Amino acid sequence: MWRQNLINMKKNLNLGVIGIDHGHIFDMLDEMLKEGCSCNYFWSEGSPLTLKEFNTKYPNIKRKTNKKEILDDDTIDMILISSIPKDRANLSIEALKAGKDVMVDKPGCTTLDQLNDLKKIVKETGKIWSVNFSERFHVAAVTKAEELVKDGIIGKVKQTMGIGPHRQGNYERPDWFYERESYGGIITDIGSHQIHQFLVFTNSNNAKITRALAENTTRKEKPGFQDFGEINLTGNGGHGYIRLDWFTPDALSTWGDGRLFILGDKGFIEIRKYTDLAKSNNGNHLIYANNDEVKYIDCSDVKLPYFRNLINDVLNRTETACSQNLTYLSMELAIKAQEIAEKK
């Protein structure tokens, strides 16, 4: 009780990091530090490819040889996790059991059994398990689109189309990147982003996967790798189509021309997340058209609400950043779509 009262008096959080295998840890940690959080310790298994950059960027964050030292530290409020995807669920469960709230990189888990275990532990502990769907939470244009849709600028949303292109050679890849069991498959991994956005913009709280496909046509020497995926799904608020790939050409200025299209019954929105092809190398472009106007919005100065909201949720035991049920459903649908694609 004394610790909870202490948290309620605070305005920011003390963080611990467990697992830095994926580069998303930098964006996760940077945004929380910008909001005033502190972080003194990290732990990670072995020598991940991100280790040198992490030590250079955060020289004051010291590595612990045993993650238990972080989990048992009563001064730490929240754990950030960006380990190998297959390990994220178990690390999250350890942190939750230790009385910590958790922000974990997507995918937050890779199997339905893991998801069910997480649901059980969250219910038992009352702690927050937040999956950082960065293509929503780190993209200011998506934040702006949520505002516009809420204001009815394009009427009722009927469908979303989300594409998640990536470049294989963007940086050196670890061995686990090519192991199906380790990363969870292209739909579980990348597709969880787009499924999450589909649920948000169609305001769906249940959905069915009507078609899913995953294949590897370019890296036969890496049989666990998947370079292309597709998903069709229908929710109680609308329809969705998703395309995922690792085919971004070398000449493109960024790792992928990620886009989101939102169709309403009175207009539509297009988001160009990371670049405006052949026009601008900057991201966060939003264009909408409705019955009154066609408008372009540069969203680069739009504030990202997820991180401050999540901090407040930990301090106040609320659900403003993202509801727990929405997080569960996003991962459940992604894993089920992966299973359908692989005909399991």
Side-chain angles (χ1 to χ4, degrees):
M1 181 63 71
W2 67 268
R3 185 172 182 273
Q4 187 61 55
N5 289 336
L6 180 61
I7 289 177
N8 289 340
M9 295 171 61
K10 296 169 65 174
K11 293 184 178 180
N12 282 300
L13 306 177
N14 187 25
L15 310 172
V17 174
I18 294 182
I20 63 169
D21 299 84
H22 197 291
H24 283 163
I25 190 59
F26 298 111
D27 292 331
M28 293 164 60
L29 183 53
D30 283 349
E31 293 297 334
M32 294 295 275
L33 293 177
K34 285 179 189 176
E35 293 292 343
C37 294
S38 58
C39 184
N40 298 314
Y41 304 114
F42 83 98
W43 171 89
S44 202
E45 186 79 45
S47 299
L49 296 178
T50 54
L51 182 59
K52 182 178 179 180
E53 182 179 355
F54 192 94
N55 285 331
T56 300
K57 190 169 186 178
Y58 312 112
N60 295 323
I61 301 180
K62 304 305 180 184
R63 186 175 191 177
K64 292 289 189 180
T65 57
N66 189 332
K67 64 179 180 288
K68 194 172 185 297
E69 295 181 74
I70 296 177
L71 295 175
D72 289 346
D73 188 336
D74 285 338
T75 69
I76 294 175
D77 307 302
M78 170 170 268
I79 301 294
L80 306 190
I81 298 171
S82 190
S83 62
I84 297 172
K86 70 174 182 178
D87 298 327
R88 292 174 187 172
N90 287 337
L91 290 175
S92 293
I93 288 171
E94 286 187 64
L96 293 165
K97 285 182 174 180
K100 316 297 187 188
D101 296 288
V102 170
M103 180 207 292
V104 60
D105 186 17
K106 66 81 223 165
C109 53
T110 57
T111 71
L112 291 177
D113 285 343
Q114 288 180 350
L115 181 59
N116 289 333
D117 288 342
L118 282 158
K119 288 180 180 180
K120 179 182 176 182
I121 298 303
V122 168
K123 185 175 182 180
E124 289 177 358
T125 62
K127 292 298 178 179
I128 295 168
W129 181 68
S130 184
V131 176
N132 188 311
F133 296 106
S134 55
E135 288 200 32
R136 177 191 176 199
F137 298 140
H138 291 259
V139 179
V142 176
T143 296
K144 186 63 179 179
E146 289 184 54
E147 296 174 6
L148 295 174
V149 168
K150 186 176 180 180
D151 290 342
I153 204 78
I154 60 169
K156 185 183 184 308
V157 173
K158 303 294 293 183
Q159 190 226 26
T160 66
M161 291 192 295
I163 61 172
H166 286 63
R167 178 186 287 135
Q168 289 187 44
N170 204 44
Y171 53 83
E172 184 181 2
R173 302 286 182 179
D175 291 340
W176 62 259
F177 175 78
Y178 299 98
E179 298 168 354
R180 163 63 181 82
E181 181 184 357
S182 293
Y183 73 91
I186 191 171
I187 295 176
T188 298
D189 182 16
I190 303 174
S192 59
H193 282 302
Q194 283 72 29
I195 288 174
H196 180 73
Q197 290 164 86
F198 156 79
L199 293 171
V200 169
F201 283 105
T202 62
N203 196 29
S204 294
N205 57 21
N206 64 68
K208 181 180 180 180
I209 307 297
T210 57
R211 177 179 177 270
L213 175 149
E215 63 183 17
N216 174 13
T217 60
T218 60
R219 300 297 298 271
K220 296 297 187 181
E221 78 281 9
K222 302 285 188 181
F225 183 61
Q226 296 172 352
D227 57 22
F228 184 81
E230 283 186 310
I231 313 164
N232 289 89
L233 64 170
T234 296
N236 58 335
H239 305 279
Y241 169 77
I242 293 165
R243 190 203 83 207
L244 317 162
D245 71 77
W246 285 94
F247 296 140
T248 295
D250 291 342
L252 197 67
S253 61
T254 187
W255 51 266
D257 182 18
R259 300 198 185 195
L260 175 64
F261 303 84
I262 308 164
L263 174 66
D265 57 10
K266 296 180 181 177
F268 61 85
I269 293 172
E270 178 185 346
I271 297 171
R272 302 177 182 183
K273 295 181 179 179
Y274 309 115
T275 187
D276 192 2
L277 198 61
K279 294 181 181 179
S280 170
N281 290 339
N282 297 322
N284 284 305
H285 305 273
L286 185 150
I287 307 102
Y288 75 79
N290 60 21
N291 294 328
D292 300 315
E293 62 180 344
V294 175
K295 187 173 182 179
Y296 164 81
I297 302 176
D298 178 355
C299 301
S300 55
D301 292 330
V302 174
K303 184 171 175 57
L304 302 173
Y306 167 77
F307 303 95
R308 173 42 61 182
N309 286 344
L310 183 58
I311 292 167
N312 291 339
D313 287 343
V314 171
L315 296 174
N316 302 316
R317 311 319 299 171
T318 50
E319 275 194 2
T320 61
C322 182
S323 77
Q324 194 68 77
N325 284 337
L326 176 57
T327 298
Y328 291 152
L329 182 59
S330 301
M331 286 312 313
E332 177 186 339
L333 289 170
I335 295 168
K336 285 183 176 179
Q338 184 73 48
E339 291 181 345
I340 291 170
E342 296 173 347
K343 297 181 174 59
K344 287 187 177 180

